[in-house]
């Protein structure tokens, strides 16, 4: 059976480590990540965006996860909705067997965010499903919606968790989604984290936490890609965030880049190949290697 987010994050909080939450859209990404969890004996959060649910028609996703739990009963696996938009989406996921959901109403004013989030908490908790919510705005897409980046205010965070009863809270400390996070040196308000944690006593979540490995970026561009210079969150500030109270770290972009780099290299070096197993298989292995490194870096390894 799947674990809940609350179960794995409460353990992580006690053990001073974080559990990576890795987005997937297909079987090879899931296998790559679950194999890394099995190799490193790590609990793992598999998360699906609304786009991923649409892409996999939900059923493929849920049954692939079921296969993962059957093959790896020794690994705590959470199935989590990433950036849920409303109660309807949450209901569909709970009915389909998700053990955790995020409701992201962070673009609304504070009271409205509280109201929408509490409604989801009241619903999900009846079924033992965990809830993550967000306070503040990340850069990039969220910034485009609201017109400004708003870092999470620690006193508001305290009120927010009291008024909603969420199991964990996503905070905004200067990261953004996607590959293009920073133009120069990464600037992150990691100092906010211990203060927010002290006031909320809840496991904290960091979105937009891909590191955008420069070797993979170079591989993509060497073999025909045209990704502009991109920078992500280095490992050191992530480790500092974990010490401060972050227990869930969201990574999607790095997995996307990892598969793309490997596939581009194979297409370039072995242009006669046309069996999908001959490029998706190596892409899956590259994913395992990269995610296993994250599991070591986040100190998740050994906690399954
Ligand atoms: O937060 C966004 C995740 O990286 C998922 O992205 O909506 O393109 O599936 P997506
Ligand atoms: P990245 O784009 O940095 O991988 O962030 C993913 C994320 O926050 C998903 O919710
Ligand atoms: Na937000
Ligand atoms: Zn996110």
């Amino acid at each position: 059976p799947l674990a809940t987010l609350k179960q794995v994050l409460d353990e992580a909080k006690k053990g001073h480590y974080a559990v990576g939450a890795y987005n997937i859209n297909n079987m090879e990404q899931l296998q790559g990540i679950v194999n890394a969890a099995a190799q490193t004996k790590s609990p793992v959060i598999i998360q699906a965006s609304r786009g991923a649910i649409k892409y996999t028609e939900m059923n493929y996703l849920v049954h692939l996860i079921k296969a993962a739990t059957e093959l790896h009963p020794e690994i705590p696996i959470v199935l989590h909705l990433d950036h849920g938009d409303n109660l309807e989406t949450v209901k569909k996921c709970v009915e389909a067997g998700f053990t955790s959901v995020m409701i992201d109403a962070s673009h609304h004013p504070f009271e409205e965010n509280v109201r929408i989030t509490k409604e989801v908490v009241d619903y999900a908790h009846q079924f033992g499903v965990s809830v993550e919510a967000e306070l503040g705005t990340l850069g990039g897409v969220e910034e485009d919606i609201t017109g400004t980046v708003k870092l999470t205010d620690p006193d508001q965070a305290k009120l927010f968790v009291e008024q909603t009863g969420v199991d964990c809270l996503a905070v905004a400390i200067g990261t953004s989604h996607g590959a293009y996070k920073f133009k120069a040196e990464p600037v992150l308000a990691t100092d906010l984290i211990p203060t927010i944690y002290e006031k909320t006593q809840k496991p904290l979540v960091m979105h937009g936490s891909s590191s955008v490995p420069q070797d993979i970026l170079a591989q993509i561009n060497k073999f025909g890609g045209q990704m502009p210079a991109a920078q992500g969150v280095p490992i050191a500030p992530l480790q500092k965030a974990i010490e401060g109270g972050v227990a869930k770290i969201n990574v999607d972009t790095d997995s996307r880049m990892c598969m793309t780099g490997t596939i581009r290299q194979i297409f370039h070096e072995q242009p006669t190949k046309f069996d999908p197993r001959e490029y998706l298989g190596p892409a899956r292995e590259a994913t395992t290697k990269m995610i296993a490194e994250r599991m070591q870096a986040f100190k998740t390894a050994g906690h399954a």
Side-chain angles (χ1 to χ4, degrees), residues 23 25 47 49-52 82-83 177-178 207 250 252-253 256:
N23 289 71
N25 293 287
Q47 57 185 12
S49 67
R50 277 177 291 141
D82 190 26
H83 293 284
H177 290 103
H207 284 247
N250 287 12
D252 185 359
T253 298
R256 295 179 181 194

Side-chain angles (χ1 to χ4, degrees), residues 219-234:
Q219 181 189 37
I220 289 173
N221 287 339
K222 180 173 176 193
F223 297 108
Q226 293 188 3
M227 280 186 71
Q231 276 197 59
V233 183

